Amino acid sequence: MITVLFIGLAVLLFIGVPIAVCIGGAPLLAMAVAGNSRQMFIAAQRMITALDSTPLLAIPLFVYAGVIMGKGGISKQIVDFCYELFGWIDGSLGIVATIACMFFAAISGSAPATVAAIGSIMIPAMINDGYPPGFAAALVACGGIIGCIIPPSIPFVNYALITGQSVSELFAAGVIPGIIMGLALCLMTYVKARKNRWGSKMDGVHLDRVIKTFFKAIWAILMPVIILGGIYSGVFTPTEAAAVACVYGFLVSWLVYHALKPSDMMEISFESVKTSAMILFIVATANIFSFIVSTQQVPMKLSNLVLGITHSKALVLLLINIILLINGCFMETTASTFIYTPILYPLIKKLGVDPIQFGVIIVMNLTMGLVTPPLGINLFVADGLDKRVNFNEQVKNVWPLFIALVVVLMLVTYVPGFSTFLVELMRAYK
C-alpha cells in the first residue's frame, strides 16, 4: 500500500496534477488498490476534521493582513526609513532591500507577499542605481524567504498543527535565525557591491531625515511590536494577533497613509481568499496522506531503518537537510510540511532533537525551495516585477546568496541555541 502511495504521488506530480489533488488522490489510489473501502469513507471525514481547528484561522488572517499591508503603503514607509539609516554603506540599496524584507517579514508571515511588497519598490530602484537586474531580483527573492522565518509565520502555524507544539514558542524560535539570514544576505550584498562598484551611497547619516522618515514610518514599525508583543505578553493568541494585524493594517493604510479606502477591500478580500483556499485545500488533503502514513507505520519503519544505519544525530540531521533541500526544488512549502513532518517528527524525537529546533530546521529547508528552480515561486514573483529582469540571469545570481543561507541553516541545525535561546527565556519567565 505504501509503495502505491508514493509511486502514485510521484506520477501525479510528474503529469502536472495540482498539488492538493496529488496529495489527496495518492492515498485514495492506495486505498482502492488495497481494497480498503472503509478507509475511503474515512477520507472525507479526515478532510473536514483537518480544517476544524481554531489555530488554523491564523493562516487566512495572516494572508489577509499581508495583502492589506502590501497594497497599503506600509512597505514604502519601511523602505524610506531603512534607506536613511543604511544608505551610507556600500551596497546600500541592496542592504535596505534585505532589511525591509526583515521588517515586512515581522508583519506578513508569507514569503511571496514579502517579495511582491518590497520587490515592487526595491528591484526597479536597485536597477536604476546600477545593480545588475538579475542580482536585484535574486536578492529580493532570497530576502523574501525571511518572511517565513521571522514571526509571524504561516509554515510555523502548519508545523504546530501537525505536532502539537506551541505556536508562540515556534514564533520565538524563528527570530534569531531570521535575523542571521538577513545579516548573511546583507554581508553578501556589501561584498559584491564593493567589489563590483555597484550602486551609489549617501555621504553619511542625516539625523534630520532619519527622524522625519521615522515619524512617517512609526505606524508601520509599531505593527510588529504590537503583534509580537501581544503574543509574547499573553494579551492575545497568535490567531487573535492575526485578526489584530488585519484591522490595524487596514486602519493605518486608510487613515494614516491614505493608500487604501474601504472600497478596495473587496479586491483585497478576493485575492486573500484565493491564496487561503489553496493553502487550506492542501491542509485538508494532507490529513488523508498523514493518516495513511501513520496507519502503515511509516515513521516507525523509517526510524528503525535510519537508526539501523547510524545513531549519529549529526549525520541524520545532515541527511534530513539534504533531502528537504532537494524536495524544495519540486514541491510547495505547505504540502511538503504536511508530508514530511509526520514522517520525520518521530525520528528526531528518538534522536533527542528539540521539536522546536526541528520546526525551525524543517521550515528553513522547505522555504529555501522558494528560490531553487524549477519550482522557485519567489523567483517567478521577483521576475515579474520589472521587465528588465532576465530569469536565467536571476538564477545565476541566486546561487551565491543561496549558499550563504545554507551556511546559516547549518548553524541553526548544529547549534541549537540559535533557535532555542528565546524559547528558554520565555519558559523561564512564565
Side-chain angles (χ1 to χ4, degrees):
M1 189 173 182
I2 288 300
T3 304
V4 175
L5 176 70
F6 285 104
I7 291 177
L9 177 64
V11 170
L12 291 172
L13 287 169
F14 181 75
I15 63 177
V17 175
I19 187 70
V21 179
C22 294
I23 295 171
L28 293 176
L29 178 64
M31 293 175 195
V33 171
N36 198 332
S37 58
R38 188 175 173 211
Q39 282 190 342
M40 295 184 74
F41 283 112
I42 294 173
Q45 180 186 9
R46 298 210 54 100
M47 288 182 68
I48 294 169
T49 54
L51 300 178
D52 186 18
S53 168
T54 301
L56 199 60
L57 282 171
I59 293 177
L61 288 172
F62 276 129
V63 169
Y64 198 28
V67 177
I68 289 172
M69 286 171 263
K71 295 180 180 294
I74 289 175
S75 54
K76 183 180 184 306
Q77 303 303 327
I78 291 172
V79 167
D80 290 346
F81 174 60
C82 289
Y83 184 69
E84 292 301 330
L85 278 180
F86 303 102
W88 55 275
I89 306 172
D90 286 301
S92 56
L93 278 186
I95 291 170
V96 167
T98 303
I99 294 173
C101 285
M102 294 167 68
F103 267 107
F104 200 81
I107 299 172
S108 73
S110 166
T114 302
V115 174
I118 302 302
S120 60
I121 300 170
M122 293 308 303
I123 291 175
M126 290 172 68
I127 295 172
N128 292 337
D129 197 40
Y131 290 78
F135 178 82
L139 179 63
V140 175
C142 289
I145 297 173
I146 304 171
C148 290
I149 309 300
I150 292 180
S153 163
I154 292 172
F156 279 145
V157 174
N158 290 333
Y159 179 83
L161 287 169
I162 301 165
T163 62
Q165 296 296 319
S166 164
V167 176
S168 298
E169 290 188 352
L170 285 163
F171 280 5
V175 173
I176 294 176
I179 292 172
I180 298 173
M181 290 172 75
L183 293 176
L185 293 177
C186 287
L187 179 61
M188 288 293 295
T189 303
Y190 171 80
V191 170
K192 280 186 161 289
R194 189 175 179 86
K195 178 182 177 181
N196 299 297
R197 297 186 179 181
W198 292 340
S200 59
K201 60 180 181 178
M202 296 194 306
D203 56 351
V205 178
H206 299 274
L207 188 60
D208 57 334
R209 297 209 301 251
V210 171
I211 294 171
K212 183 179 178 180
T213 54
F214 172 77
F215 280 108
K216 280 188 176 180
I218 186 67
W219 296 100
I221 294 168
L222 279 174
M223 195 163 189
V225 175
I226 292 170
I227 295 170
L228 301 179
I231 292 172
Y232 299 138
S233 64
V235 175
F236 38 70
T237 66
T239 304
E240 292 164 346
V244 170
C246 293
V247 176
Y248 181 90
F250 171 67
L251 292 176
V252 170
S253 300
W254 177 31
L255 300 176
V256 179
Y257 298 138
H258 308 293
L260 287 180
K261 49 187 183 292
S263 58
D264 296 323
M265 295 308 292
M266 183 61 73
E267 180 187 348
I268 288 172
S269 299
F270 184 66
E271 185 175 335
S272 303
V273 165
K274 286 196 298 182
T275 303
S276 300
M278 177 186 69
I279 295 172
L280 295 176
F281 189 19
I282 292 173
V283 171
T285 54
N287 202 31
I288 311 173
F289 194 96
S290 299
F291 172 68
I292 297 299
V293 164
S294 60
T295 55
Q296 295 299 307
Q297 298 182 323
V298 172
M300 186 183 72
K301 291 174 183 176
L302 178 66
S303 297
N304 293 337
L305 175 64
V306 172
L307 295 176
I309 299 171
T310 176
H311 281 77
S312 168
K313 183 164 70 174
L315 183 56
V316 172
L317 287 172
L318 179 62
L319 291 172
I320 288 173
N321 280 327
I322 293 170
I323 291 167
L324 293 179
L325 285 173
I326 293 171
N327 171 84
C329 297
F330 304 100
M331 192 175 291
E332 190 269 339
T333 304
T334 302
S336 298
T337 305
F338 278 89
I339 289 174
Y340 283 99
T341 303
I343 296 173
L344 297 174
Y345 187 70
L347 172 60
I348 63 101
K349 287 190 76 176
K350 275 190 177 182
L351 289 169
V353 179
D354 189 314
I356 297 294
Q357 180 200 3
F358 185 68
V360 178
I361 292 170
I362 196 168
V363 168
M364 284 183 69
N365 270 291
L366 296 179
T367 53
M368 285 168 67
L370 295 170
V371 294
T372 51
L375 184 64
I377 294 171
N378 281 13
L379 298 177
F380 291 104
V381 174
D383 180 61
L385 296 175
D386 195 292
K387 292 181 179 179
R388 291 169 289 181
V389 176
N390 177 280
F391 186 78
N392 291 333
E393 289 299 316
Q394 183 188 6
V395 171
K396 288 179 185 176
N397 281 278
V398 153
W399 293 116
L401 301 172
F402 181 80
I403 291 169
L405 294 177
V406 169
V407 172
V408 178
L409 172 63
M410 292 298 106
L411 286 174
V412 173
T413 300
Y414 294 111
V415 185
F418 283 121
S419 52
T420 59
F421 176 72
L422 292 180
V423 178
E424 289 168 0
L425 281 182
M426 282 178 60
R427 291 170 180 170
Y429 283 97
K430 277 187 179 179

